[in-house]
Structures are given as structure tokens and as C-alpha cells.
Amino acid sequence: MIELPVDLPAELVPLSWLIGVWEGSGVIDYKIGDDSVTHEFGQRVSFSQDGLPYLNYTSSTWLFPADEGDEPTALAAETGYWRLARPLGQGDPGPGLLPPQGSTRYSDAESVETLRNDAGGFDLEVGIVHPGGVSELYLGQVKGPRIDLVTDAVMRAAGAKEYAAATRLYGLVENHLLWAWDIAALGQDLRTHASARLAKVD
């Protein structure tokens, strides 16, 4: 059963099942030419909110050691923000540090319902930043306990590895967070990359 925080902004209710800390394991399986990269990994994901209409997202992953008794190897990290896609108005902060002028239009369930799309879900914007010089903007939707995301833009620093596009799928299944991530990278077309099953730990 999902318990909503008492201070949860109305816009975050469609994403409320994500809130918390999740931990578990998964598998990397990515084919590059004739070679295949396959590893088991551990992951810790956090979705939190601080009273504004977006979720804070962080993820850290590590490779499980090949030999028993060895320490795990830190692998990758991500940070970002998840929010319902809608035009920002005077009641929203920004740009920069400019404060809001007045109240937001989406302060209750009735007004948030007006954002529902033709498929019965809510459109999403998700920004994710990687420390290796890659930033992704995903567009997609949340519909019940399922989220589908597709990159709309990928920015890479001059020294970043080649990474062109991605899709991500998240779902709540038997109280576990399951996800799958396909990528187009290192000269390959869009293909299976990694997936995991996470349990809520906090």
C-alpha cells in the first residue's frame, strides 16, 4: 500500500508510487558488434520531493565481484528531475532564481486532472545527468503504475563516449520497481542494454 506524504504537491500524485529508496540487482546485456557485454550489478535508486512539483532522482550502481570475498566495483551514477509536462507560468519559480508570482494553477486534484492526455495518462518530462558528460531529456507518460520514456534530446561533452538515444520503461509489479533501459551507443542502433528489479527499502 502506498502512503502519500501529507505535503505532496498535487502534481506529484501520479508519480507518488515512485517516492522512496529502492535497492536491488539487475543485468547488463549489451551487444557491440560481434561482442556482448554481460554483467550483474547492484543498484540503489532514490525518488524524493521537497514541496515543489517535481521528483528528485538519484541512482548509483556497482558491479558485483567475480570472486567471492572481493569488494563491489562502483559503476555509474545518475541524477535528475521528473515532472508532469506542462507549460510553466507565473506561479512557478524561475528562470534562474526568480521567485513565483502568485500561486500555481495546478494546486489540487481537479486541476491536475486537466493535464491527463488522450491515452488516460499524464505526459512527463525527465532530465537525467551522467557524470561522464552526458545529459538526457526524456519525454513520455505515466499511466497508473507504468512509465514509458523516450529521449527527445541527448547532449554530450566533447570528451564523452558516443551515446545517441535511449528508451526507459518503469513499472510497479508486486511491490517491486522493475525497469528496462535500451540505448543506442558506441555506433550501435537502439537495443537492449540493462534491466533490474528493486525492492523498497525506505
Side-chain angles (χ1 to χ4, degrees):
M1 182 177 176
I2 297 174
E3 294 184 13
L4 301 183
V6 294
D7 59 345
L8 189 69
E11 287 181 64
L12 294 185
V13 171
L15 295 168
S16 59
W17 55 272
L18 288 170
I19 296 173
V21 178
W22 305 80
E23 193 167 306
S25 61
V27 175
I28 304 160
D29 188 7
Y30 192 62
K31 191 171 182 183
I32 304 170
D34 294 329
D35 299 323
S36 185
V37 178
T38 305
H39 290 285
E40 290 187 56
F41 66 91
Q43 183 182 33
R44 185 176 179 89
V45 168
S46 171
F47 290 94
S48 63
Q49 62 90 23
D50 51 16
L52 293 171
Y54 56 80
L55 290 181
N56 305 297
Y57 164 78
T58 60
S59 166
S60 59
T61 54
W62 55 91
L63 290 178
F64 290 129
D67 298 318
E68 192 173 331
D70 289 350
E71 291 295 316
T73 303
L75 179 60
E78 299 178 330
T79 189
Y81 303 95
W82 298 50
R83 74 178 191 93
L84 298 191
R86 64 163 177 84
L88 297 181
Q90 290 187 340
D92 298 295
L97 297 179
L98 295 177
Q101 303 294 316
S103 58
T104 177
R105 290 177 49 200
Y106 304 98
S107 58
D108 56 36
E110 184 178 354
S111 58
V112 171
E113 277 298 311
T114 67
L115 297 173
R116 202 176 281 275
N117 61 31
D118 292 340
F122 294 90
D123 294 330
L124 291 180
E125 293 177 2
V126 175
I128 297 178
V129 179
H130 307 256
V134 172
S135 298
E136 303 171 273
L137 173 62
Y138 286 90
L139 302 181
Q141 77 163 356
V142 54
K143 187 175 182 181
R146 177 183 169 124
I147 292 171
D148 294 272
L149 299 172
V150 179
T151 46
D152 182 61
V154 174
M155 294 184 295
R156 291 186 290 128
K161 291 186 176 181
E162 194 273 324
Y163 179 94
T167 64
R168 300 192 191 211
L169 168 66
Y170 294 80
L172 186 65
V173 180
E174 297 178 347
N175 294 320
H176 284 76
L177 178 62
L178 276 61
W179 64 258
W181 183 10
D182 294 355
I183 64 172
L186 303 178
Q188 310 305 302
D189 56 7
L190 189 68
R191 59 186 62 184
T192 299
H193 166 55
S195 60
R197 181 184 183 97
L198 311 177
K200 200 166 192 179
V201 296
D202 189 18

